[in-house]
Amino acid sequence: MACKVLVLPGDGIGPEIVREALKVLRPLGDRFSFEEALVGGASIDAYGVPIKEEVLDLAKKSDAVLLGAVGGPKWEDLDYSVRPERALLALRKELGAFGNLRPAKVFSPLIDASPLKREVIEGIDLLVVRELTGGIYFGEPRGVERLPDGRERGLNTLVYHDHEVERIARLAFEVAGKRRRKVTSVDKANVLESTELWRKVVTRVHREYEGIELNHMYVDNCAMQLIREPGQFDVILTTNMFGDILSDEAAMLTGSIGMLPSASLGGGVGIFEPIHGSAPDIAGKNRANPLATILSAAMMLRYAFSMDREALAIERAVEEVLERGYRTPDIYSEGTKMVSCSEMGDRVVEALEEILSRI
Ligand code: IPM
Ligand code: MG
């Protein structure tokens, strides 16, 4: 039976980058069946809601979800409860995708695309494990209210239950076991009680994982260490909001936010999407970098379908295309060849076909 993939291109550059990822999956044959649906602003325009119940149901019945990006200035004035971003949060929550893996790896041909010095970023290979269905993104109470004196008050709640911390910590220790066996848990335990609990629970779960090193770091220090000495990190385990921020920072180490894929796991159905947004300023111009989405498709093959060999082949194809000097504008530097979004997809397909014919 073909693997059922729900494709949600979304808004802005979403449709262009997802198109390239699907192109790259094509040489792998008819192992997949794709169904497409609207999400985010596109769904608001068509149906008045960021994601329809039917689409959530469809997602639950799929084997994996491949997503582009959501949001844009057109929908920024809407109420929070119906903004495009709600679609993402609803999907994550409904699918129980509590563990978000965001690998940041420096591809050696891109070293000069990073704003940081070569010696700082050479060999970076870290993984942000971000808690994705709890914390301040979901905590209640929330909202903006008018007080009796006429002033307004905005409120969000940072809340973590011990079991939420336990399961994300387990995921981090398990993936660390397949890497360099080092976990840095990032919190703000000097100020926030909820993350004091986070630290306590992570420390307790760690006792079950012999041979894995654990250290704790405050988030402000981590933001600094990522720039100062990123090579010290293997797995960064952190909360929903800290992970959102630190993964964008980690992305820039690798040259461009257009390079970072992600996998959101935990429930039966995983979500695979680039970490970047919908980039409305370049949408529809065929200038976007599709590599993060292509690499997300590779993560889908690995984590949803256990197709390790094929996932590696796609990752290798991306590396080869970069070695051959092809660059979208975001990673362009002098002496390399600038290509469009669709051409980048074509180049990856070309390299992938060569690799598949060799193995
Ligand atoms: C991300 C994005 C989302 C998030 C937004 C679009 C809701 O920034 O996946 O990092 O904050 O989780
Ligand atoms: Mg983000």
Side-chain angles (χ1 to χ4, degrees):
M1 268 243 300
C3 304
K4 276 202 313 217
V5 180
L6 176 64
V7 180
L8 302 174
D11 308 318
I13 59 171
E16 315 162 42
I17 53 179
V18 165
R19 194 176 309 132
E20 298 317 306
L22 293 178
K23 214 191 246 177
V24 170
L25 292 175
R26 224 171 283 142
L28 300 174
D30 49 11
R31 280 179 271 184
F32 310 101
S33 71
F34 299 104
E35 184 152 3
E36 211 171 299
L38 296 180
V39 72
S43 172
I44 294 175
D45 288 350
Y47 311 115
V49 288
I51 187 161
K52 286 203 296 183
E53 280 301 322
E54 283 155 65
V55 177
L56 284 173
D57 283 343
L58 213 56
K60 286 180 204 159
K61 288 184 197 128
S62 307
D63 298 312
V65 176
L66 183 65
L67 197 140
V70 297
K74 185 175 172 192
W75 306 282
E76 257 162 28
D77 293 330
L78 293 175
D79 189 78
Y80 274 79
S81 57
V82 290
R83 287 256 278 256
E85 288 78 4
R86 298 307 304 177
L88 264 188
L89 303 183
L91 257 178
R92 292 169 179 173
K93 195 76 170 175
E94 291 280 322
L95 295 179
F98 66 82
N100 183 217
L101 309 185
R102 298 188 159 189
K105 199 174 145 202
V106 174
F107 288 94
S108 41
L110 284 189
I111 283 194
D112 295 319
S114 171
L116 295 176
K117 290 197 197 100
R118 167 180 283 267
E119 55 274 24
V120 177
I121 56 161
E122 223 154 28
I124 289 179
D125 180 6
L126 63 88
L127 175 71
V128 178
V129 176
R130 170 188 175 192
E131 199 289 325
L132 203 60
T133 53
I136 199 164
Y137 271 51
F138 292 92
E140 298 281 349
R142 65 187 298 155
V144 177
E145 58 186 15
R146 172 104 31 212
L147 301 174
D149 65 3
R151 294 179 186 223
E152 282 187 295
R153 187 168 82 132
L155 172 75
N156 290 96
T157 305
L158 172 55
V159 47
Y160 269 113
H161 293 93
D162 51 2
H163 69 269
E164 292 175 298
V165 183
E166 249 171 66
R167 64 187 183 185
I168 191 73
R170 288 219 160 80
L171 181 66
F173 290 127
E174 264 150 39
V175 293
K178 296 181 196 134
R179 298 173 48 97
R180 299 194 308 280
R181 311 178 77 81
K182 180 176 173 191
V183 174
T184 304
S185 175
V186 175
D187 59 41
K188 188 73 186 171
N190 50 344
V191 178
L192 304 173
E193 289 84 347
S194 52
T195 70
E196 191 188 359
L197 176 71
W198 174 283
R199 187 177 283 221
K200 196 171 96 186
V201 176
V202 171
T203 305
R204 187 172 75 220
V205 173
H206 175 234
R207 292 194 201 111
E208 298 166 27
Y209 292 87
E210 224 173 281
I212 309 269
E213 187 190 331
L214 169 68
N215 67 321
H216 301 277
M217 199 178 269
Y218 296 138
V219 63
D220 48 350
N221 185 25
C222 180
M224 178 183 76
Q225 295 297 337
L226 269 171
I227 304 294
R228 199 182 76 92
E229 198 198 332
Q232 70 185 283
F233 296 107
D234 177 20
V235 173
I236 294 178
L237 160 65
T238 192
T239 65
N240 203 342
M241 186 163 73
F242 295 163
D244 180 43
I245 299 167
L246 294 175
S247 59
D248 271 30
E249 190 185 353
M252 265 332 279
L253 301 174
T254 72
S256 165
I257 195 162
M259 295 298 301
L260 247 68
S262 86
S264 304
L265 311 170
V269 184
I271 310 167
F272 301 86
E273 58 176 317
I275 80 151
H276 60 70
S278 59
D281 52 324
I282 57 163
K285 296 191 178 147
N286 202 13
R287 285 172 59 87
N289 182 348
L291 294 178
T293 317
I294 291 171
L295 292 168
S296 301
M299 290 188 91
M300 174 175 86
L301 299 189
R302 175 172 299 118
Y303 291 106
F305 306 132
S306 302
M307 298 181 189
D308 275 24
R309 199 180 69 106
E310 290 80 356
L312 267 173
I314 293 179
E315 286 158 359
R316 182 67 209 124
V318 167
E319 228 168 294
E320 236 168 82
V321 164
L322 294 172
E323 272 159 20
R324 290 173 191 169
Y326 298 109
R327 304 281 189 277
T328 41
D330 58 315
I331 47 175
Y332 176 78
S333 59
E334 234 180 87
T336 61
K337 295 167 243 175
M338 200 187 296
V339 293
S340 65
C341 176
S342 55
E343 211 177 327
M344 185 56 111
D346 292 340
R347 296 288 159 259
V348 176
V349 170
E350 220 169 73
L352 179 62
E353 276 166 349
E354 287 168 29
I355 292 166
L356 290 173
S357 70
R358 283 203 299 265
I359 55 176

